[in-house]
């Protein structure tokens, strides 16, 4: 009677036991199952900070005196700003904003001290790198209060009373590169990198494991094809697919979000190619390590997670603790997102992006070497 | 590197392979001459596939040496791969590619010139012109085997290694498959084919029998049977079933196996065997006839396997 029934508890139990045994034997899956929640907990719990502090700040000044010093001290102690001591030229400051080494430039106008003493509310120009609006929002919001309390100690007499009311300086904020703080401007370059990371790595990671799983690898290895030939043969098609994805995303970014294209398209294509090559090679390396397609998929996700969390895509890079920034600096996505933002929004040129290009290239070479070392000519 | 002016195609000695400390192929020696079809027989898990993989450079032997087509199997596997056609035990062409795409892939991997013509010829020889754009995965088992064979010989190898090529294929397709192998051998191709079908063993020029990783018999089928020293008595008649129970376990009786209405009783000593059978026939009181018969290859293999199993247990017990 029970043999023909649709539901059999014993069959279900048999399956469950079988699955459990398989899982237990599959160390990789087991490790992933444990590591992913832990990783998420750690990342979400500690690394994510949408209120970045210690943002690198430069000051250009045409004046000096107790007022300027008070402003500088206040900025330095506010923890939002990591003030580089001394003053820089306007040209240096502007360059630093483009290449990303500074998040803010504060310009103190001539006659600042005199105007301040006379209660004329001198202008204080703050230029912020607004490519990622959320990275600068809190710092800018807190600024008037920080300055008011700082200057109240310098001002005396009737002016002190005035300072306690309205701000003694006129703060002018220039949100550079993304004046309206449009989130899409920031998201699109990030998305470009994220989608590429996900798809290119996954597709290549599956490429070789699929062969192994289906038994076709044995045949392939019995042919005269060399590891390098096989690797290139498997990588190139996915570079092509990745390139197609880029084209689609860039076109959509222009058509749907009107994301500007300040810099050179050729440079963007060049860096994109480097980025895809690095990812595809990484995916291939995964597939030389993973025994099954399932494992290859898990390794991809294992890589994807820190990539989206620590690359500055989801959360401002400078808001992360140091250890997270160190990890982030290794990830190709970090450098790619910075490059794309730089090119599309800031019009950055090759010289501005050297600091992003070499880590990408180094990553690619390192991973390619690992892939070739990992690939075995024999089945054992 | 020795230049085989002689007809040697495979010449290996002491070939040994261990997986996780377990010896799977143990001190195997093998010689195959040009144009021969050598059957590689043995039960499942006896090390046939592993041996074949070592010959074509897919696995690294732990010990042993030898040549394949005059090339060193340890150091020249890349060149060996170019000269050898290997048909894996499991269908290992791409199921999600069409027949033509698969052949085209093979032709490209082997750098064949005149590729479109070679592919078209192969398809024509297979008689698959009308199905050439069908996915390989949609072919029946027999057709998959034929496709795999055609693909493995497309680069005109000098040696063909076939690993259980006809497992799960119907008799008609098997016969055609073997006809094709003989045709290829007649053209000068050397074939090493693993199988566990007895009738296929008989279609080989020579057989090698491997059990528990060791070669336990080799020669022509007739030689292997003769050397086994086994005698067979065939019992037939109404009371055959009773005889089966009676002779089992008697002195001189090693195997008792029913074949249709007959009973094959096999033992290593003809006189003892006859004694045992005669006694049993007397006990059931007639109704059966017993006559000497030809010993089959299967009986020999079962004996070899049992002997090897005992030897394996002793040696593994000693080692562990
Ligand atoms: N890659 C491997 N790793 C571990 N054990 C293996 C491997 N390949 C084969 N074996 C073991 O070696 C033995 C011989 O296998 P195989 O050569 O495939 O036998 P056959 O082809 O004669 O059936 C089997 O017990 C099998 O489980
Ligand atoms: Mg096998």
């Amino acid at each position: 009677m029970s043999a023909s029934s649709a539901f059999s508890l014993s069959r279900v139990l048999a399956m469950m036991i079988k699955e459990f045994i398989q899982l237990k034997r599959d160390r990789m899956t087991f490790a992933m199952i444990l590591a992913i929640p832990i990783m998420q907990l750690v990342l979400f719990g500690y690394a994510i900070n949408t209120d970045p502090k210690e943002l690198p700040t430069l000051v250009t000044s045409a004046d000096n005196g107790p007022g300027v010093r008070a402003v500088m001290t206040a900025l330095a102690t506010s923890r939002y700003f990591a003030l580089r001591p001394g003053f820089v030229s306007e040209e240096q400051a502007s360059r630093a904003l483009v290449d990303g080494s500074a998040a803010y430039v504060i310009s103190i106008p001539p006659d600042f001290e005199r105007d301040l003493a006379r209660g004329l509310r001198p202008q204080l120009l703050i230029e912020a790198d607004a490519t990622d609006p959320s990275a600068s929002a809190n710092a800018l919001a807190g600024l008037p209060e920080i300055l008011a309390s700082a200057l109240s100690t310098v001002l005396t007499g009737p002016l002190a009373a005035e300072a306690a009311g309205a701000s003694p300086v006129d703060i002018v904020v220039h949100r550079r590169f993304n004046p309206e703080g449009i989130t899409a401007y920031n998201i699109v370059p990030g998305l470009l990198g994220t989608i590429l990371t996900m798809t290119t790595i996954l597709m290549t990671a599956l490429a070789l494991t699929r062969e192994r799983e289906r038994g076709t690898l044995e045949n392939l290895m019995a042919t005269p094809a060399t590891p390098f030939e096989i690797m290139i043969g498997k990588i190139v098609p996915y570079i092509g697919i990745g390139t197609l994805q880029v084209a689609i995303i860039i076109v959509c970014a222009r058509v749907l979000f009107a994301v500007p294209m300040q810099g050179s398209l050729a440079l963007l294509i060049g860096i994109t190619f480097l980025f895809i090559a690095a990812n595809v090679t990484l995916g291939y390396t995964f597939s030389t390590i993973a025994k099954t397609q399932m494992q290859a998929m898990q390794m991809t996700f294992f890589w994807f997670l820190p990539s989206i969390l620590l690359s500055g895509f989801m959360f401002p890079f400078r808001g992360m603790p140091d250890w997270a920034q160190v990890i982030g600096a290794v990830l190709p996505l970090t450098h790619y997102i910075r490059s794309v933002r730089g090119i599309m929004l800031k019009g950055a040129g090759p010289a501005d992006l050297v600091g992003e290009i070499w880590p990408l290239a180094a990553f690619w070479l390192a991973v390619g070497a690992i892939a070739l070392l990992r690939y075995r000519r024999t089945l054992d | 590197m020795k230049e085989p002016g002689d007809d040697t195609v495979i010449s290996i000695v002491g070939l040994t392979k261990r997986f996780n400390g377990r010896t799977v192929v143990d001190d195997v020696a093998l010689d195959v001459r040009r144009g021969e079809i050598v059957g590689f027989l043995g039960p499942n898990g006896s090390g046939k596939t592993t041996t074949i993989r070592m010959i074509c450079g897919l696995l690294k032997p732990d010990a042993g040496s030898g040549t394949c087509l005059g090339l060193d199997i340890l150091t020249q596997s890349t060149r060996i791969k170019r000269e050898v056609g290997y048909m894996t035990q499991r269908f290992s062409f791409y199921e999600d590619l069409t027949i033509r795409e698969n052949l085209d892939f093979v032709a490209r991997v082997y750098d064949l010139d005149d590729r479109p013509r070679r592919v078209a010829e192969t398809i024509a020889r297979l008689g698959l012109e009308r199905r050439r754009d069908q996915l390989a995965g949609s072919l029946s088992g027999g057709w998959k085997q034929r496709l795999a064979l055609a693909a493995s010989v497309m680069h005109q190898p000098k040696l063909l290694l076939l690993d259980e090529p006809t497992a799960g294929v119907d008799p008609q397709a098997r016969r055609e498959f073997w006809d094709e192998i003989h045709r290829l051998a007649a053209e000068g191709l050397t074939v090493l084919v693993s199988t566990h079908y007895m009738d296929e063993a008989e279609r080989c020029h020579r057989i090698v029998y491997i059990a528990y990783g060791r070669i336990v018999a080799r020669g022509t089928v007739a030689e292997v049977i003769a050397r086994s020293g086994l005698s067979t008595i065939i019992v037939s008649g109404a009371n055959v079933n009773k005889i089966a129970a009676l002779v089992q376990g008697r002195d001189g009786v090693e195997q008792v196996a029913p074949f249709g209405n007959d009973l094959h009783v096999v033992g290593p000593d003809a006189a003892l065997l006859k004694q045992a059978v005669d006694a049993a026939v007397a006990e059931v009181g007639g109704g059966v006839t017993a006559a000497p018969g030809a010993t089959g290859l299967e009986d020999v293999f079962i004996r070899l396997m049992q002997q090897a199993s005992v030897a394996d247990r002793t040696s593994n017990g000693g080692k562990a």
Side-chain angles (χ1 to χ4, degrees), chain A residues 138-153:
Chain A
N138 277 349
L140 291 178
L143 202 55
E145 186 157 350
I146 292 166
L147 292 178
S149 67
L151 291 170
S152 65
T153 59

Side-chain angles (χ1 to χ4, degrees), chain B residues 46-101:
Chain B
S46 55
K48 301 183 297 293
T49 301
T50 307
T51 304
I52 292 175
R53 283 176 176 169
M54 284 192 280
I55 292 172
C56 65
L58 287 182
L59 285 176
K60 233 178 178 41
D62 290 313
S65 61
T67 59
C68 178
L69 297 161
L71 299 163
D72 192 319
I73 59 163
L74 299 178
T75 57
Q76 297 179 295
S77 59
T78 320
R79 286 180 62 191
I80 292 176
K81 286 174 183 176
R82 239 173 271 153
E83 308 282 350
V84 171
Y86 172 40
M87 183 172 155
T88 55
Q89 182 167 355
R90 183 176 156 190
F91 181 74
S92 57
F93 288 91
Y94 299 95
E95 306 220 333
D96 45 1
L97 255 57
T98 67
I99 291 159
R100 193 172 43 166
E101 287 162 350

Side-chain angles (χ1 to χ4, degrees), chain B residues 38-39 41 201 204-209 217-221 224 297 301:
Chain B
V38 175
L41 287 98
C204 298
H205 297 132
R206 220 150 52 77
I207 59 172
V208 174
Y209 190 83
R218 61 176 90 223
T220 63
V221 170
V224 169
L297 197 54
F301 285 160

Side-chain angles (χ1 to χ4, degrees), chain B:
Chain B
M1 204 182 86
K2 84 173 182 189
E3 196 53 52
D6 56 308
D7 275 351
T8 306
V9 171
I10 298 177
S11 168
I12 48 172
V13 284
L15 206 62
T16 301
K17 181 73 189 176
R18 289 181 209 97
F19 287 121
N20 313 317
R22 198 165 62 92
T23 307
V24 162
V25 172
D26 193 358
D27 196 19
V28 162
L30 193 64
D31 280 285
V32 178
R33 290 185 303 275
R34 185 161 47 183
E36 262 192 319
I37 300 176
V38 175
F40 196 24
L41 287 98
N44 280 331
S46 55
K48 301 183 297 293
T49 301
T50 307
T51 304
I52 292 175
R53 283 176 176 169
M54 284 192 280
I55 292 172
C56 65
L58 287 182
L59 285 176
K60 233 178 178 41
D62 290 313
S65 61
T67 59
C68 178
L69 297 161
L71 299 163
D72 192 319
I73 59 163
L74 299 178
T75 57
Q76 297 179 295
S77 59
T78 320
R79 286 180 62 191
I80 292 176
K81 286 174 183 176
R82 239 173 271 153
E83 308 282 350
V84 171
Y86 172 40
M87 183 172 155
T88 55
Q89 182 167 355
R90 183 176 156 190
F91 181 74
S92 57
F93 288 91
Y94 299 95
E95 306 220 333
D96 45 1
L97 255 57
T98 67
I99 291 159
R100 193 172 43 166
E101 287 162 350
N102 267 302
L103 293 173
D104 207 58
F105 170 78
V106 173
R108 280 180 203 272
V109 164
Y110 283 96
D111 252 335
L112 302 186
D113 39 50
D114 214 358
R115 189 166 36 80
R117 186 184 55 82
R118 295 274 266 276
V119 171
E121 267 176 17
T122 305
I123 291 173
R125 191 137 39 87
L126 280 166
L128 281 175
E129 288 105 326
R130 286 190 24 237
R131 295 207 268 169
R132 62 180 192 189
D133 292 321
Q134 196 175 321
L135 292 184
S138 69
L139 292 171
S140 70
W143 277 109
K144 274 186 189 166
Q145 306 298 75
R146 293 181 63 177
L147 169 63
L149 178 64
S152 328
V153 298
M154 203 159 60
H155 63 289
Q156 296 178 317
K158 299 194 181 97
L159 169 67
L160 188 55
L161 302 171
L162 306 172
D163 195 2
E164 294 191 27
T166 55
V169 171
D170 67 65
Q172 168 78 24
R174 263 173 62 196
R175 168 146 314 166
E176 285 168 9
F177 195 88
W178 274 91
D179 289 345
E180 177 69 17
I181 289 173
H182 274 272
R183 237 190 326 273
L184 291 166
E187 288 167 17
L189 188 67
T190 308
V191 182
L192 177 67
V193 51
S194 84
T195 176
H196 42 219
Y197 290 115
M198 294 306 134
D199 59 321
E200 293 190 346
E202 281 160 7
R203 301 199 78 180
C204 298
H205 297 132
R206 220 150 52 77
I207 59 172
V208 174
Y209 190 83
I210 184 170
Y212 297 95
R214 260 166 271 174
I215 291 187
V216 291
R218 61 176 90 223
T220 63
V221 170
E223 281 167 359
V224 169
I225 293 175
R227 258 183 240 139
S228 75
L230 288 177
S231 311
T232 300
I233 293 179
I234 299 173
V235 187
S236 51
N239 283 332
V240 160
N241 294 340
K242 288 186 196 151
I243 297 276
L246 280 171
V247 293
Q248 191 85 58
R250 288 200 182 193
D251 268 1
V253 176
E254 228 176 55
Q255 298 174 33
V256 182
F259 279 82
N261 297 320
D262 297 344
L263 190 70
H264 289 206
V265 187
V266 182
D269 185 318
L272 269 177
L273 182 70
K274 185 163 166 33
Q275 242 175 41
V277 174
D278 285 350
V281 169
E283 268 178 63
V284 298
V288 292
T289 56
T295 301
L297 197 54
E298 190 172 289
D299 302 324
V300 176
F301 285 160
I302 288 172
R303 175 151 211 261
L304 289 171
M305 212 173 100
Q306 283 165 352
Q307 285 174 340
S309 150
V310 172
D312 187 61
R313 245 173 275 145
T314 347
S315 74
N316 273 348
K319 264 184 248 162

